[in-house]
Amino acid sequence: MGQKGRSLWAAPILLCAAVSLSACGDLSRFQTPGPSLSSGPAKPNRNVAQTPASEREHERILASYGGVYDDPRLEALISKTVDRLVAASDRPEQAYRVTILNSGAVNAFALPTGQLYVTRGLIALANDTSELSSVLSHEMAHVLAKHAAIREDQARQAAVVTRVVTDMGNDPDLTALALAKTKLTMASFSRAQEFQADGIGVGISARAQFDPYGAARFLSAMERNAALKAGKTSLDPRAQDFLSSHPATPERVQNARANARQYSSPQSGERDRETYLSAIDNIVYGEDPSEGFVRGRRFLHPKLGFTFAAPDTFTLDNTAQAVIGVREGGTQAMRFDVVRISPDQSLSAYLTSGWMENVDKNSAEELTINGFPAASAIATGDQWHFKVYVLRFGTDVYRFIFAARQKSTESERNARETVNSFRRLTLEEIQAARPLRIKIITVQPGDTVESLAHRMNGVDRPAERFRILNGLDTHAQVKVRDKVKIVVD
């Protein structure tokens, strides 16, 4: 988390430009000691030829998407599925390596070398192996058609954009955001490439004896999942889904069905639902609490042992580099991150040390917030007014930056109340901060969508989410003895 940017306008850009990001960036998260999921090696399905560029991209992807999600059952299922797909493809000599990413986002992508990536969020959304195979075969198709290589060339040509931004300022966070934006621009395949990959992928799945209609079902599920998220636009590149880099339209769903009809009729082909649901039972769902997580307006970090709450009108998002909050309408924003300050430097001296321009040095004052040493100051820019707090918690120093288009009693109160809510988590709260997980249960007599949704924990709009998670349309009902997914903590 950088703190060396010297331009005053860096803060509103960091606070507000993040809203429009929709691709992964090379960003760091809150760093905590101890083992990390990202330290584990990806499990190869076959030997993929590595290049220095692909290794760098692999490490960037791991850093951006929470590292490797280690689950032997899932790895075995995916490896077996990929082997079947490779054998049915036109180029069985092409090697692939699949990495499961520890991210709740619904996403998958490929590198030109044959390295494929799929998030646990996507795996949790799928309902059978044929749906997962449709995603894997789609990504394999991008490799086979050399779409990924074309995209990589375009990204190289666009690298000048990042150099321009680097010249504009020294803030590494700002540069990272610009880089992420550039990656996004280059991340999207063309409509023609998507349709081509869909066609190739459906053919591979069908020849591998999977139900070719899995692609149409899963595209529909992703569209419904994206629509559910539409009211809460994520600020985090890691949270963007498959549809951000693989634009989906009703035409794509129709096209996928048309492709499937060339190979078989509906209900034919293997779905392998029982095996699939057994493999995903207990998979982590949503955010991983070990890196801090948002519950409503509250941010909790069990490993570091603190929490705070944003104002009622704010939407909070735990991004790869900071916790970002935006007020409805975008007239106020906040950023929370960790900064490195010498133990010998006072907090008020840090605020006026020049990392941010136009700070009113006379406004700097030392405070105590809930027993923690703190300091605050104000700064002004052409379009934004800032209130900045730093707070020492153990050996770490945390920074709150509040930005408002117009300074007001409300913006002052929002900043003050948010900072005053910062406190140490109790032991009970830390122990209770478990990840949400998918649990597979069997529908019993008397169960309904509503009663099963009522058993879900930690999710908004549970009935709608239950339907999407289980591939049920608006009016479909559950059937006795069917296996279904619910979210539990």
Side-chain angles (χ1 to χ4, degrees), residues 47 67 104 154 176 188-189 249 276 312 332 368 376 379 403 468 471 483:
N47 295 320
Q154 291 174 328
S188 298
F189 291 117
T249 62
Y276 187 81
D312 286 336
Q332 296 177 39
T368 299
S376 70
I468 293 169
K483 292 190 181 300

Side-chain angles (χ1 to χ4, degrees), residues 313-388:
T313 53
F314 276 58
T315 297
L316 268 190
D317 217 346
N318 179 25
T319 79
Q321 59 180 165
V323 179
I324 302 291
V326 178
R327 186 189 184 279
E328 294 170 8
T331 57
Q332 296 177 39
M334 62 162 283
R335 173 191 172 100
F336 171 83
D337 60 15
V338 63
V339 291
R340 295 181 181 89
I341 299 178
S342 166
D344 301 328
Q345 185 179 33
S346 72
L347 296 179
S348 58
Y350 164 74
L351 288 175
T352 58
S353 63
W355 64 272
M356 188 177 191
E357 290 181 355
N358 293 352
V359 173
D360 180 357
K361 295 189 176 184
N362 293 326
S363 71
E365 60 176 328
E366 298 279 343
L367 308 165
T368 299
I369 296 174
N370 291 335
F372 304 114
S376 70
I378 61 174
T380 54
D382 291 339
Q383 298 181 12
W384 291 87
H385 297 268
F386 300 94
K387 181 77 172 184
V388 186

Side-chain angles (χ1 to χ4, degrees), residues 398-472:
Y398 294 102
R399 177 174 64 181
F400 286 91
I401 303 173
F402 298 91
R405 289 277 188 189
Q406 292 183 323
K407 186 177 178 181
S408 65
T409 303
E410 184 209 13
S411 65
E412 290 282 308
R413 183 180 67 249
N414 283 342
R416 187 172 60 253
E417 290 181 354
T418 301
V419 172
N420 285 338
S421 73
F422 184 97
R423 63 173 175 82
R424 194 182 303 275
L425 284 169
T426 66
L427 181 60
E428 291 77 14
E429 287 174 318
I430 292 172
Q431 292 173 339
R434 298 185 300 269
L436 299 176
R437 293 183 182 272
I438 293 288
K439 182 176 176 61
I440 306 301
I441 62 172
T442 302
V443 177
Q444 301 297 320
D447 284 341
T448 64
V449 168
E450 290 69 25
S451 68
L452 292 171
H454 191 66
R455 294 170 59 179
M456 305 235 290
N457 296 326
V459 297
D460 59 340
R461 297 160 75 178
E464 288 179 69
R465 196 166 297 279
F466 176 86
R467 287 185 178 279
I468 293 169
L469 272 175
N470 290 287
L472 299 171

Side-chain angles (χ1 to χ4, degrees), residues 1-2 13-14 17-18 21-29 60 64 161-163 165-166 169-184 237 319-322 335:
M1 299 195 183
I13 288 177
L14 286 171
L21 280 179
S22 50
C24 57
D26 189 8
L27 311 171
S28 60
R29 306 173 77 176
R60 185 188 71 79
S64 299
V161 175
T162 64
R163 287 200 294 274
V165 173
T166 303
N170 297 321
D171 191 325
D173 289 343
L174 179 60
T175 305
L177 286 173
L179 178 61
K181 267 192 167 180
T182 307
K183 292 280 186 186
L184 164 65
T319 79
Q321 59 180 165
R335 173 191 172 100

